């Protein structure tokens, strides 16, 4: 894509402006702010689906000038094979963003994001969050997420950042990032609901890597979360957890964790505890595809 401007096929849809360079997007966004527009930001790694679309639509519905970014951030991939397999679907992503009403897209290359190498870009310490669940399974992952989102926020300087609940722990990391980074107090994180397929499978860029038989059973993760939620009043979590692990294994998944945690701190809970907001979280592998999902127990 050489041009900076991509015009939608229909005249009724406004064009979305595409920027590859920080030096171009920053004055453009400053002009929007000077004209009194609030900026809503949706960071992505592309391979967009209805979940991403809902984030863009939410930002637009709030009347914000909506900026999305597509950048496959190498520093958050602890598994380099995962990085190599990450789908690149830029043309389709651009079409979806335009349809969703996105105003501007930031589409930088690695050189633009990490001109002196990633070691020269600020990282943050997320403490406990880096050590549990996704943090434990994917060492270094949240360091990379914090690093790239910190950099993107410095560039875009939005008033709101829209994140999907599907990556619940990532949302908590971004909240912590906003508390730590200079100017972070001027940004509000909006966590948007998980968008699901008809069988409950949470929308994810990884779903497209599932084979047909794998896709047919992938909704089992959501079934497990619903059962954990349903047994909240009268269940023993250890029993429900075992039932879920057995069901997942019987279907052919390799469960990595089935966990219950305090929804505010992510402190792991051995059993249901009505005095705290809770979240149930599952990670499981199906072949070489790793799926995660969660449900709030309100
Ligand atoms: O959730 C993602 O797609 C990525 O982790 C994010 C937030 C865009 C950072 O690269």
């Amino acid at each position: 894509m050489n041009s900076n401007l991509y015009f939608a096929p229909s005249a009724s849809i406004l064009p979305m402006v595409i920027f590859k360079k920080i030096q171009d997007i920053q004055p453009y966004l400053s002009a929007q702010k000077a004209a009194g527009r609030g900026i809503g930001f949706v960071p992505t790694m592309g391979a967009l689906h209805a979940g991403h679309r809902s984030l863009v639509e939410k930002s637009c519905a709030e009347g914000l000038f909506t900026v999305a970014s597509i950048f496959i951030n190498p520093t958050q991939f602890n598994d380099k094979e995962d990085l190599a397999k990450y789908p690149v679907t830029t043309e389709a992503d651009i079409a979806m963003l335009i349809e969703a009403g996105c105003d501007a897209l930031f589409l930088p290359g690695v050189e633009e994001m990490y001109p002196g190498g990633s070691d020269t870009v600020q990282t943050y310490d997320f403490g406990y969050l880096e050590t549990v669940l996704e943090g434990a399974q994917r060492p270094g992952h949240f360091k990379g997420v914090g690093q790239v989102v910190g950099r993107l926020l410095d560039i875009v300087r939005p008033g709101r950042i829209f994140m999907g609940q599907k990556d619940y722990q990532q949302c908590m990391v971004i909240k912590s990032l906003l508390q730590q980074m200079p100017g972070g107090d001027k940004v509000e994180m909006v966590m948007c609901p998980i968008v699901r397929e008809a069988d409950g499978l949470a929308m994810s860029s990884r779903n497209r890597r599932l084979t047909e038989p794998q896709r047919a059973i992938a909704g089992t993760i959501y079934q497990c979360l619903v059962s954990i939620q349903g047994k909240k009043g009268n269940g023993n979590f250890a029993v429900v957890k075992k039932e879920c692990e057995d069901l997942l294994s019987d279907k052919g998944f390799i469960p990595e964790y089935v966990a219950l945690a305090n929804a505010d701190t992510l402190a792991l809970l051995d059993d249901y505890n009505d005095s705290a907001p809770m979240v149930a979280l599952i990670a499981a592998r199906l072949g070489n595809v790793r799926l995660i999902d969660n449900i709030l127990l309100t």
Side-chain angles (χ1 to χ4, degrees):
M1 180 87 28
N2 292 324
S3 162
N4 255 5
L5 272 178
Y6 184 93
F7 289 94
S10 154
S12 64
I13 305 174
L14 291 173
M16 174 177 75
V17 195
I18 302 176
F19 296 93
K20 292 185 170 178
K21 300 279 176 210
I22 299 167
Q23 68 190 40
D24 295 330
I25 193 168
Q26 281 195 318
Y28 182 80
L29 294 181
S30 299
Q32 300 303 326
K33 283 184 210 165
R37 299 193 182 113
I39 307 284
F41 181 44
V42 180
T44 82
M45 297 205 298
L48 303 185
H49 49 71
H52 295 111
R53 189 184 168 124
S54 74
L55 305 180
V56 171
E57 286 173 347
K58 172 94 173 120
S59 171
C60 294
E62 292 191 7
L64 299 170
F65 184 88
T66 300
V67 182
S69 63
I70 297 179
F71 177 63
I72 302 177
N73 173 36
T75 71
Q76 70 186 76
F77 286 84
N78 53 310
D79 175 354
K80 293 302 163 204
E81 257 184 51
D82 209 18
L83 171 61
K85 281 187 289 197
Y86 202 84
V88 178
T89 58
T90 314
E91 293 286 322
D93 294 344
I94 289 171
M96 179 182 279
L97 289 170
I98 291 171
E99 268 180 47
C102 189
D103 296 296
L105 169 63
F106 184 45
L107 186 62
V110 175
E111 260 303 303
E112 191 68 7
M113 290 296 286
Y114 301 124
S118 59
D119 290 350
T120 62
V121 174
Q122 169 89 47
T123 56
Y124 299 85
D125 185 354
F126 302 110
Y128 171 73
L129 287 176
E130 289 185 49
T131 67
V132 278
L133 303 173
E134 288 305 289
Q137 299 291 333
R138 305 179 66 189
H141 170 65
F142 288 129
K143 239 338 155 239
V145 169
Q147 181 182 45
V148 76
V149 176
R151 175 105 173 100
L152 288 166
L153 287 171
D154 271 340
I155 296 165
V156 176
R157 306 209 176 132
R160 286 191 186 167
I161 178 168
F162 294 83
M163 309 287 303
Q165 186 199 318
K166 157 134 184 315
D167 294 300
Y168 190 82
Q169 194 168 354
Q170 173 169 274
C171 290
M172 297 186 73
V173 163
I174 301 307
K175 263 193 195 163
S176 165
L177 171 71
L178 295 178
Q179 283 160 8
Q180 294 182 52
M181 67 178 282
D185 56 335
K186 296 192 183 68
V187 186
E188 184 195 344
M189 193 203 69
V190 182
M191 186 171 80
C192 302
I194 301 174
V195 179
R196 298 185 180 282
E197 303 277 4
D199 65 348
L201 175 66
M203 298 268 181
S204 164
S205 307
R206 290 161 193 259
N207 295 354
R208 63 186 82 197
R209 285 174 38 209
L210 295 169
T211 62
E212 234 175 79
Q214 288 171 340
R215 174 63 197 85
I217 56 162
T220 311
I221 294 183
Y222 181 61
Q223 272 174 37
C224 289
L225 289 168
V226 170
S227 115
I228 295 171
Q229 186 185 50
K231 293 185 179 158
K232 180 185 160 200
N234 49 10
N236 168 338
F237 179 65
V239 173
V240 187
K241 174 181 158 93
K242 175 85 174 54
E243 283 168 6
C244 291
E245 286 166 348
D246 289 348
L247 176 64
L248 289 167
S249 303
D250 289 350
K251 294 260 183 172
F253 291 83
I254 301 176
E256 282 186 0
Y257 57 77
V258 174
L260 186 64
N262 178 305
D264 293 332
T265 62
L266 221 62
L268 297 179
L269 300 169
D270 292 331
D271 208 346
Y272 295 105
N273 174 353
D274 275 334
S275 62
M278 288 178 283
V279 59
L281 310 103
I282 293 181
R285 280 183 189 273
L286 205 42
N288 62 3
V289 185
R290 187 170 182 277
L291 299 171
I292 62 170
D293 199 354
N294 66 82
I295 200 165
L296 284 163
L297 276 61
T298 48

